[in-house]
Amino acid sequence: MFQNQYYQELDVLSVNAAKLRNYYVPFRNLTEAFEAKDRTDSSKFRLLDGEWAFDFYPSIHEIPVEFSAIPQLPLTKEIPVPSCIQNHGYDAHQYVNVSFPIPYDPPYTPYDNPCGIYRRSFELESLGDEAYYLNFEGVDSNLYLWVNGQFVGYDQVTHSNSEFDVSAYLKKGTNELTVLVMKWCVGTYFEDQDKFRTTGITRSVYLVTREKAGIWDYKIETPVDLAKQTGTLSFTTPYEGEVSYTLFDPQGNQLLAGTGKKEFSLIIEDCAYWTAETPTLYTLIIEAKGEYIREKIGFREFTIQDRVLYLNGQPIKLYGVNHHDSHPDLGPSLLKSDYYEEMLKMKALHMNGIRTAHYPKSPEFYELADEMGFYVISEADVESHGVVNLVGASADYNLMARDEQFGPIIMDRIIRSVIPFQNRPSIFMWSMQNESGYGVNYEQAQKKVRELDPTRLIHNERAAQPDLFRENDFSNLDVISRMYSSFEDVVRYCESSAIKKPFMQCEYAHAMGNGPGDLADYFQLMEKYPSFIGGFVWEWADHAMYLEDENGQRVLGYGGDFGETLHDSNFCVDGLIFPDRSLTSSAIEYRNIHSPIQLKGVKNDRITLRNIQSFLTGTAFSAELSIHVNGEKRSDLPIDLTQLAPLSEVEISFEYPQVTTADYVTVDLILFDNQGEIVARQQKMIQEAKEETTIAICDLSIPSLRVRQEQSYYKVEGTDFSYTFNARTGSFEQLNVDDEALLVAPSFIHIWRAPIDNDRHITSQWRQAGYEAGQWNVIAMDIIEEATSVTFRGSYRLGMPSIQHILVMDLTVTIDNFGEIQYDFDVKKGNNLPDMPRFGVVFPLKKAFNKAKYLGYGPYDSYIDKHYASHFGQHEQEISAMFENYLKPQENGNHWKTVKADIIGPVMYQITSPKPFNFSFIPYSATELTNAAHSYDLPEISGHYLTIDYKQNGIGSYSCGPYLKEKYRFNDEQFKWTFAIKVSR
Ligand code: GAL
Ligand code: MG
């Protein structure tokens, strides 16, 4: 048996670890401190990342030696630090959302607790009179540390620094570190975050050389006086000795210098304040006992007044995103350069906020957020969501929140999330936890955090569901925070003034798969209501990890792909960026909706633009504002944004173009940065064409058609074409032009779409209603042969065994002597059926058709509620560019409000309709997309599928949010629809 029990004790959370302090790295002198690009330039900092010796044991009890002999145990393998063992062939990945991956039995963990032993050595040329501190920035889930064979200490909390004073254990020459890391510990019950569960030394390790009995911790506050345009730097420390300071302005000029003891306060005149838009940082270098510490200072003050969030006196909104540490190659081990890349992308999407879901980041993340400008909600490493899946009455959300035996561990985790980062300007709000219930343990932690840091706001979303049998204390919570509130609830909250706190969504717009579809509606509510201070999209990136398929290929997998039986499938593949870090169309959707300069409205002859930035004028952008008719530019309007003040509007007059009622007129705004790159695009449709009543069908005086019947098939032959119409299904078996067969399979009328992830709660109802498997039944058929055309007038019913009929349809298909086809539908839905996914016709075309030209919403895929990545215009695309390759295949590639579309191949098909339609042209059928679990499970491309739809249901966020707004539902009980396909040879 493994003898040391720390890992399953509630009252031994840490052994021999150094006292918690704010994060910093000391430098040797002022120049070093001032000039260092980062901590690695400090001569007091030694990074111990890299290859470590390693061995894995499936159970801690299989370690073949006594606890005290672990540092002598020979190790046979190597593993990089930082990383997780599951990415290096040990143990196995498991993705689980809510449920605890181990039996709920705190503080105990399974007997077979997998573990890894790590070892590395390093040289110390001399060992002076200095102190040495070993830092682990994150070890999942705990660590036992030995130095040169001697046991030093123990710590847990995966996303937290563990620091040990190892001075007494080191020697001159070669020193050896041994670390034992377990997969489970008591902390596992508090780290039940929705993610791949990982193990290992997952963040950097380093040694810091310190002065003995020097400064340890300090606090910096930066209140501002707006009337005087000053900022105050207030410094306090329990350290008794003298502290000298030098303050540099953002340009690096020395501003102030002096000394103080225990505290000092500096007033900065003409202070340049920090905001996410203007992340101006001053540099403070303090010196105490020969140690130089550099702090970047942002002067800023967040306040709430009348339910509005202010920064330095200006109202701000949070356009945020939830960010997990997850990457297919790196697992949870993101380095500063990775964070940097992600933040650059976020900036380019006009995000200004990050919630560190659901644990603190490593310190360099916050430094980057300070520099690049983000409003950060920093969350503690606490999630005990799994309690909701216990059996019977034990399934109580507040079980651990109210049980006082867990008070100290919760308090410890929350304090550990605050003190290290208490000086970071980017953090404006501390989040106590995620999905861990509400109760006395959190109330106490909130109180404590308020004492520790009265300058920042406090967040606990779970106050949404407090204990019903006691008085709850919300006094230390500053915002009403909800996840995935419906539009109605947001409006209800904002319209009432019963609660005096602002409203925020710590999560909204679930970006799983082809989604979310509700970004624009939430944004409009943020614009409308000052008390709706913003939200954080769930979430930034798809989580997926690599595995080898049966052919030895490296492919991406999600829950269930790694042999795990308890898992939550692809619920982790829910980001705005794909696992390979490329942007989804939803990311572009976000970007355009949150454009810093908004095309707010067009009324009569005036266009209103609004600057939604709180601090900057429009100087950073140039804009193209233009009027388009049917997607073609008619005129450019002169526009200069440099004078457009923050949070203000400008009106621009324009001349309405000469158009007819058959035209589509749009106002288009394209915003460019100083390099001429497009940063956002917005559009308002100001005139839509009046619906034409009929489609002119070709009437050429060329030879008439021949029609032959074989059972339910009708062969229609013209001069250079022959079509086979299946009267039974109302579809074409084959379309031949010039003796070339153009279909790879019969066309069909469908209502099914490959379920998007947001359909997951409605898919079974759809299947039950026969939307996937219903069969057409023809009741009556008239064939009308005329000189220039033949018309099949059929009466159809769509049905499936054991349920009421699904649809009743009168369908008229007319073929003229030039080969043009016209469909006229009159459809009535059966009773009591759910919203339909779509209604339309599919033509499985030969692969030689490979391009589309269309007037509609493109170039990204577009839907009734998700079309802001795109704009209405003329587009021309290869089929390969029209397919969005989701790891879990699903409906994609639709083009909403299409007026006409040309499909180019051996012939050109031109699709028109009296009113805008939806079309997609992608290399897979809905059935193929439905049946594939991964993109790489899709079959070889058999055809290029042209889909022409009357309507399609919206996209929404229903996988984890409200169902579609009424106006986005395809819930027509009855409809008529017409379209035509012309063929040009
Ligand atoms: C939230 C939770 C997140 C994630 C999301 C669903 O309830 O806080 O961690 O699970 O749902 O993707
Ligand atoms: Mg959860």
Side-chain angles (χ1 to χ4, degrees):
M1 287 283 287
F2 184 80
Q3 297 110 334
N4 186 300
Q5 291 294 307
Y6 295 151
Y7 67 100
Q8 42 190 10
E9 283 181 23
L10 268 174
D11 38 1
V12 186
L13 302 178
S14 183
V15 177
N16 206 18
K19 190 176 153 256
L20 207 56
R21 61 173 172 93
N22 55 296
Y23 165 80
Y24 58 85
V25 166
F27 293 87
R28 203 163 286 284
N29 54 46
L30 189 83
T31 321
E32 191 179 276
F34 188 79
E35 287 176 358
K37 80 179 171 323
D38 59 33
R39 63 193 188 182
T40 57
D41 289 339
S42 164
S43 50
K44 288 173 169 278
F45 176 90
R46 181 192 287 219
L47 193 63
L48 297 173
D49 289 354
E51 290 295 312
W52 288 46
F54 180 74
D55 254 330
F56 170 74
Y57 296 93
S59 165
I60 49 174
H61 305 296
E62 287 179 28
I63 298 174
V65 294
E66 298 252 304
F67 181 77
S68 60
I70 287 176
Q72 282 82 47
L73 186 65
L75 301 179
T76 56
K77 315 228 166 47
E78 286 206 322
I79 197 165
V81 167
S83 73
C84 69
I85 65 169
Q86 288 81 3
N87 267 9
H88 293 273
Y90 304 102
D91 191 53
H93 277 300
Q94 176 178 23
Y95 161 60
V96 56
N97 175 5
V98 176
S99 306
F100 287 117
I102 58 174
Y104 180 74
D105 198 11
Y108 303 108
T109 56
Y111 180 86
D112 288 329
N113 186 354
C115 68
I117 300 175
Y118 291 71
R119 189 171 300 139
R120 78 159 278 165
S121 55
F122 63 92
E123 300 295 317
L124 273 185
E125 276 135 42
S126 64
L127 197 63
D129 190 29
E130 294 173 303
Y132 294 87
Y133 285 86
L134 193 57
N135 281 262
F136 294 84
E137 289 199 325
V139 183
D140 191 349
S141 69
N142 65 355
L143 78 148
Y144 290 78
L145 170 68
W146 291 261
V147 175
N148 293 329
Q150 277 179 280
F151 181 64
V152 176
Y154 170 82
D155 205 15
Q156 41 85 55
V157 185
T158 294
H159 303 92
S160 171
N161 192 57
S162 301
E163 186 166 33
F164 298 92
D165 179 355
V166 293
S167 320
Y169 304 85
L170 295 179
K171 55 179 201 262
K172 190 172 165 230
T174 307
N175 288 272
E176 192 172 73
L177 310 177
T178 301
V179 183
L180 166 67
V181 178
M182 296 175 182
K183 180 164 180 171
W184 317 123
C185 74
V186 63
T188 304
Y189 297 101
F190 300 89
E191 295 178 8
D192 192 32
Q193 291 101 348
D194 177 7
K195 63 182 186 65
F196 277 89
R197 307 303 168 106
T198 50
T199 310
I201 303 181
T202 48
R203 290 181 177 173
S204 289
V205 183
Y206 52 85
L207 186 73
V208 184
T209 310
R210 302 297 313 266
E211 290 306 317
K212 283 188 180 143
I215 193 166
W216 188 248
D217 57 339
Y218 55 85
K219 200 152 126 186
I220 294 167
E221 285 174 5
T222 56
V224 301
D225 186 331
L226 298 168
K228 297 191 185 138
Q229 187 66 37
T230 59
T232 302
L233 191 165
S234 126
F235 180 97
T236 48
T237 176
Y239 175 65
E240 306 272 348
E242 193 173 69
V243 178
S244 30
Y245 58 80
T246 318
L247 183 72
F248 299 87
D249 72 10
Q251 290 72 43
N253 308 311
Q254 185 173 322
L255 269 186
L256 296 162
T259 58
K261 262 195 185 170
K262 302 231 10 164
E263 59 183 41
F264 59 82
S265 196
L266 312 176
I267 295 181
I268 288 80
E269 307 288 337
D270 283 327
C271 186
Y273 298 141
W274 183 95
T275 75
E277 296 166 23
T278 58
T280 313
L281 295 169
Y282 289 67
T283 303
L284 172 73
I285 294 179
I286 56 162
E287 178 276 326
K289 236 193 153 192
E291 288 183 324
Y292 290 78
I293 300 171
R294 176 171 82 185
E295 278 287 346
K296 293 286 177 181
I297 310 287
F299 291 92
R300 90 286 180 278
E301 198 174 291
F302 292 91
T303 48
I304 288 174
Q305 250 171 43
D306 294 335
R307 310 209 297 177
V308 176
L309 175 62
Y310 291 88
L311 168 58
N312 309 332
Q314 274 287 87
I316 58 165
K317 295 274 180 188
L318 303 164
Y319 305 127
V321 68
N322 280 277
H323 184 272
H324 254 297
D325 290 350
S326 174
H327 187 285
D329 286 307
L330 309 168
S333 304
L334 269 61
L335 299 179
K336 188 176 182 184
S337 51
D338 305 304
Y339 285 144
Y340 177 72
E341 292 298 323
E342 315 241 301
M343 286 188 195
L344 276 183
K345 290 201 174 93
M346 290 176 188
K347 277 272 167 192
L349 300 179
H350 313 308
M351 292 173 170
N352 69 4
I354 303 175
R355 173 171 174 241
T356 68
H358 299 299
Y359 37 78
K361 303 286 187 186
S362 51
E364 291 176 306
F365 171 94
Y366 298 100
E367 292 177 344
L368 281 172
D370 295 346
E371 279 166 30
M372 298 176 74
F374 286 98
Y375 304 128
V376 175
I377 301 182
S378 191
E379 193 151 77
D381 198 354
V382 185
E383 176 157 353
S384 302
H385 202 174
V387 289
V388 304
N389 284 353
L390 305 185
V391 170
S394 296
D396 166 4
Y397 217 148
N398 300 333
L399 187 71
M400 300 183 86
R402 81 155 79 82
D403 185 339
E404 295 192 30
Q405 68 163 320
F406 301 123
I409 191 168
I410 290 171
M411 183 69 89
D412 175 61
R413 285 171 171 267
I414 292 175
I415 293 176
R416 287 177 76 143
S417 75
V418 171
I419 289 182
F421 309 121
Q422 63 190 6
N423 298 330
R424 298 280 51 85
S426 52
I427 300 175
F428 76 106
M429 189 182 267
W430 301 114
S431 174
M432 300 296 99
Q433 50 124 320
N434 187 58
E435 297 183 317
S436 306
Y438 197 75
V440 65
N441 294 334
Y442 293 101
E443 292 171 350
Q444 284 174 358
Q446 283 149 205
K447 194 157 164 265
K448 180 73 186 171
V449 172
R450 183 67 92 215
E451 282 162 28
L452 286 173
D453 180 9
T455 71
R456 289 186 178 82
L457 309 173
I458 299 182
H459 172 263
N460 191 339
E461 180 271 342
R462 274 296 96 199
Q465 220 176 331
D467 212 321
L468 290 179
F469 304 105
R470 60 185 274 277
E471 188 79 42
N472 291 272
D473 174 11
F474 305 128
S475 62
N476 289 310
L477 297 180
D478 299 299
V479 292
I480 297 295
S481 171
R482 294 288 181 272
M483 333 181 138
Y484 312 104
S485 287
S486 65
F487 306 106
E488 293 75 12
D489 284 357
V490 177
V491 170
R492 227 171 109 194
Y493 183 91
C494 296
E495 299 261 326
S496 133
S497 52
I499 302 178
K500 302 293 171 221
K501 297 174 184 176
F503 182 82
M504 181 188 103
Q505 298 226 63
C506 63
E507 294 178 28
Y508 79 110
H510 201 243
M512 189 177 186
N514 184 354
D518 45 15
L519 285 168
D521 292 281
Y522 283 112
F523 176 76
Q524 277 154 22
L525 293 181
M526 291 173 203
E527 280 286 280
K528 176 158 179 204
Y529 294 108
S531 55
F532 184 14
I533 61 172
F536 295 75
V537 169
W538 188 266
E539 69 176 307
W540 174 244
D542 285 345
H543 303 224
M545 297 290 173
Y546 283 111
L547 69 148
E548 254 183 32
D549 70 6
E550 57 275 18
N551 308 318
Q553 295 287 317
R554 227 162 79 103
V555 294
L556 287 168
Y558 47 72
D561 291 335
F562 302 89
E564 73 270 47
T565 40
L566 176 70
H567 66 82
D568 285 290
S569 186
N570 65 327
F571 213 62
C572 54
V573 190
D574 59 355
L576 289 176
I577 64 168
F578 288 112
D580 71 0
R581 291 10 233 175
S582 59
L583 302 180
T584 63
S585 60
S586 307
I588 306 293
E589 179 95 357
Y590 187 99
R591 181 195 79 175
N592 284 351
I593 289 170
H594 295 81
S595 170
I597 309 295
Q598 296 274 318
L599 174 52
K600 205 178 157 208
V602 184
K603 234 192 206 153
N604 307 327
D605 58 351
R606 304 200 145 245
I607 299 167
T608 311
L609 300 185
R610 177 172 168 77
N611 179 1
I612 61 164
Q613 302 173 107
S614 295
F615 304 94
L616 292 174
T617 63
T619 349
F621 310 108
S622 60
E624 188 183 300
L625 185 65
S626 51
I627 312 292
H628 289 240
V629 177
N630 301 326
E632 270 160 34
K633 196 194 278 184
R634 267 294 166 85
S635 57
D636 268 314
L637 303 170
I639 167 164
D640 173 12
L641 297 171
T642 49
Q643 300 307 313
L644 185 54
L647 301 179
S648 69
E649 295 183 354
V650 60
E651 280 196 340
I652 293 151
S653 55
F654 73 105
E655 227 173 84
Y656 205 91
Q658 293 277 319
V659 288
T660 71
T661 56
D663 292 318
Y664 289 79
V665 184
T666 60
V667 175
D668 291 60
L669 172 73
I670 308 178
L671 213 58
F672 302 90
D673 65 12
N674 292 333
Q675 276 85 54
E677 294 288 329
I678 295 184
V679 298
R681 176 159 197 152
Q682 295 200 332
Q683 184 181 59
K684 293 265 180 241
M685 175 88 77
I686 54 174
Q687 177 184 302
E688 287 196 34
K690 262 228 185 98
E691 266 178 44
E692 293 163 34
T693 39
T694 51
I695 298 183
I697 192 141
C698 271
D699 187 4
L700 300 174
S701 39
I702 41 179
S704 56
L705 297 165
R706 285 187 299 132
V707 182
R708 281 186 292 129
Q709 182 185 3
E710 282 168 32
Q711 291 150 348
S712 65
Y713 298 105
Y714 292 84
K715 201 159 197 171
V716 180
E717 286 173 337
T719 32
D720 64 348
F721 68 90
S722 84
Y723 299 163
T724 314
F725 184 73
N726 184 347
R728 213 193 141 110
T729 58
S731 294
F732 288 95
E733 287 294 300
Q734 189 50 275
L735 299 171
N736 279 288
V737 177
D738 278 338
D739 291 331
E740 185 172 356
L742 300 176
L743 297 182
V744 295
S747 70
F748 53 93
I749 297 168
H750 71 166
I751 50 182
W752 183 248
R753 77 174 177 196
I756 59 168
D757 289 312
N758 283 332
D759 293 332
R760 63 198 334 250
H761 302 301
I762 199 178
T763 307
S764 61
Q765 285 177 51
W766 284 351
R767 289 204 159 103
Q768 205 186 2
Y771 292 175
E772 186 178 26
Q775 295 289 323
W776 290 107
N777 187 15
V778 63
I779 306 296
M781 169 64 65
D782 281 338
I783 296 152
I784 305 141
E785 290 187 56
E786 282 174 277
T788 57
S789 68
V790 52
T791 299
F792 300 93
R793 189 169 290 155
S795 187
Y796 294 85
R797 302 179 78 87
L798 184 68
M800 188 175 78
S802 74
I803 63 161
Q804 70 265 46
H805 74 264
I806 305 161
L807 295 180
V808 177
M809 172 176 87
D810 287 332
L811 168 64
T812 305
V813 176
T814 307
I815 301 161
D816 76 5
N817 51 6
F818 201 67
E820 175 168 347
I821 303 166
Q822 177 166 329
Y823 281 77
D824 292 283
F825 293 96
D826 188 344
V827 182
K828 213 188 209 157
K829 196 171 156 189
N831 292 330
N832 304 314
L833 297 172
D835 298 340
M836 289 198 286
R838 59 158 32 128
F839 180 91
V841 185
V842 183
F843 295 90
L845 296 174
K846 279 184 97 156
K847 286 195 269 183
F849 289 91
N850 54 16
K851 205 192 228 178
K853 257 172 143 175
Y854 56 98
L855 175 62
Y857 277 78
Y860 297 96
D861 54 1
S862 56
Y863 296 81
I864 186 165
D865 59 344
K866 184 196 157 191
H867 54 79
Y868 299 89
S870 295
H871 59 275
F872 180 85
Q874 300 276 1
H875 303 281
E876 183 168 343
Q877 285 171 293
E878 300 287 325
I879 188 166
S880 55
M882 301 178 86
F883 176 67
E884 186 97 340
N885 196 7
Y886 294 102
L887 180 55
K888 164 74 192 78
Q890 50 197 283
E891 155 61 30
N892 71 86
N894 186 63
H895 293 284
W896 178 68
K897 233 182 226 192
T898 302
V899 173
K900 57 179 180 231
D902 297 345
I903 307 299
I904 299 154
V907 300
M908 184 167 87
Y909 281 128
Q910 286 180 292
I911 303 136
T912 52
S913 168
K915 61 177 164 203
F917 55 94
N918 291 262
F919 94 100
S920 68
F921 186 47
I922 59 174
Y924 298 101
S925 70
T927 306
E928 289 170 335
L929 294 172
T930 304
N931 294 339
H934 305 92
S935 50
Y936 46 86
D937 298 330
L938 284 166
E940 213 177 290
I941 294 172
S942 59
H944 286 173
Y945 288 81
L946 167 65
T947 299
I948 305 161
D949 283 339
Y950 163 63
K951 274 189 186 176
Q952 193 175 142
N953 211 30
I955 294 293
S957 268
Y958 193 36
S959 51
C960 194
Y963 185 56
L964 294 176
K965 264 189 170 179
E966 183 75 28
K967 63 178 181 184
Y968 300 138
R969 300 179 193 170
F970 180 17
N971 55 8
D972 302 26
E973 291 301 317
Q974 192 170 2
F975 58 90
K976 286 190 173 148
W977 181 46
T978 295
F979 72 87
I981 306 181
K982 215 187 231 178
V983 204
S984 351
R985 288 73 164 174

